[in-house]
Amino acid sequence: MSKKHLSFGIKTAPQNTTYEDMLRVWQEADEIPVIEHAWLFDHFTPLGGDPTGPCLEGWSLLAAYAALTKRVRLGLMVTGNTYRHPAVLANIAATVDIISHGRLDFGIGAGWNEFEHTTYGIPLYKPGERIRRLGEACEVIKLLWTETVADFDGKYYQLKGARCEPKPVQKPFPPFVIGGSGEQLTLRVVAQYAAIWNFVGGSVEDFQHKQAVLDEHCAAIGRDPVTIERSIQWRINPANLNATREDLPRYIDAGASHIILNLLYPYPEGIVHRLAEEIVEPLKAIYES
């Protein structure tokens, strides 16, 4: 087996939990070198049934945790582009990169949650338009992060002498992490902008097929597909970590190297240490030795 670097992180969806409970998990992760990244999500009401519970806003929370951690890379998996104008988002994300001293992984996707859009009166465009907006948003954000004065005349977004100061710490800009698996449009945006592509979930066969489509989009624009890391999320059952350790290799063998271990509330005491000892270190021993 050829060596490959595996990058493991944790995710705490900020729903039906508290600021303090998640902070405990994040600071535990920050102390464990084999845990390289930590994630929140970008929603305003809980997912998975009951929308009446607590749900903390992602970017505000990420800024706080950026200030209270020192090592882990961090981000939202993933920002809904429809929730904020991309010029505003560029400034928010640049600020978080500065607070974290250059540890932001910039997660973004097209947006999808019909309930949130309907209840908040935010337009939810048809899928094709949402993804075209995502493509323009990536360009707008990149311009604001790299140009002193940015101009852009798109179909959906326009900039006229726009500035974003100070710039992000990371140069030329924080890595784009794009979530989504639509073959005709989304993966084309991934090919153009992403450093990391996050698979939305499904079978190993589906994961392999989507990667093949992504590789074709990369070839069409002359990009080496190896330069895009392949990311998956994996829901953790603390009562059966053996299952995760046994099942993950199927996806790693299929190309996944950026692995997010998704923790559900309540978080057992010492859970990140257990993830490191029972999942991360054994898998790294297999694939990196």
Side-chain angles (χ1 to χ4, degrees), residues 6-176:
L6 301 181
S7 170
F8 284 89
I10 55 106
K11 179 179 177 182
T12 57
Q15 63 177 33
N16 301 316
T17 182
T18 68
Y19 172 85
E20 290 81 9
D21 281 327
M22 286 184 290
L23 178 60
R24 169 175 60 83
V25 172
W26 278 57
Q27 290 185 323
E28 182 183 351
D30 200 41
E31 296 171 355
I32 303 172
V34 293
I35 304 297
E36 297 183 32
H37 36 92
W39 302 87
L40 304 166
F41 74 15
D42 188 31
H43 291 285
F44 307 111
T45 55
L47 304 181
D50 181 7
T52 64
C55 189
L56 292 165
E57 196 280 320
W59 277 104
S60 306
L61 192 60
L62 192 68
Y65 291 173
L68 294 170
T69 55
K70 296 178 180 178
R71 183 193 56 82
V72 287
R73 297 193 63 79
L74 43 86
L76 298 191
M77 182 58 66
V78 287
T79 308
N81 178 56
T82 47
Y83 295 140
R84 305 167 191 82
H85 190 286
V88 174
L89 181 58
N91 280 270
I92 294 170
T95 299
V96 172
D97 197 51
I98 290 163
I99 292 169
S100 69
H101 303 288
R103 291 184 284 129
L104 176 68
D105 285 334
F106 178 66
I108 191 167
W112 61 271
N113 190 296
E114 185 175 351
F115 178 81
E116 289 175 335
H117 288 80
T118 299
T119 58
Y120 283 10
I122 299 170
L124 182 67
Y125 311 101
K126 292 182 178 179
E129 179 174 343
R130 291 205 301 271
I131 298 163
R132 288 188 291 271
R133 284 176 174 271
L134 172 64
E136 282 197 11
C138 289
E139 187 64 24
V140 163
I141 292 163
K142 189 174 81 168
L143 286 171
L144 284 165
W145 284 348
T146 56
E147 301 291 333
T148 302
V149 179
D151 293 286
F152 183 78
D153 187 18
K155 182 175 182 180
Y156 306 108
Y157 305 115
Q158 294 79 39
L159 300 176
K160 297 177 181 177
R163 299 175 184 269
C164 177
E165 298 295 342
K167 303 295 187 199
V169 172
Q170 297 179 84
K171 304 302 179 191
F173 45 80
F176 281 72

Side-chain angles (χ1 to χ4, degrees), residues 5 25 31 63 68 87 90 102 111 145 170 182 187 202 216 257 259 261 263:
H5 175 68
V25 172
E31 296 171 355
L68 294 170
W145 284 348
Q170 297 179 84
L187 291 178
E216 291 173 3
S257 60
I259 299 157
L261 303 174
L263 295 169

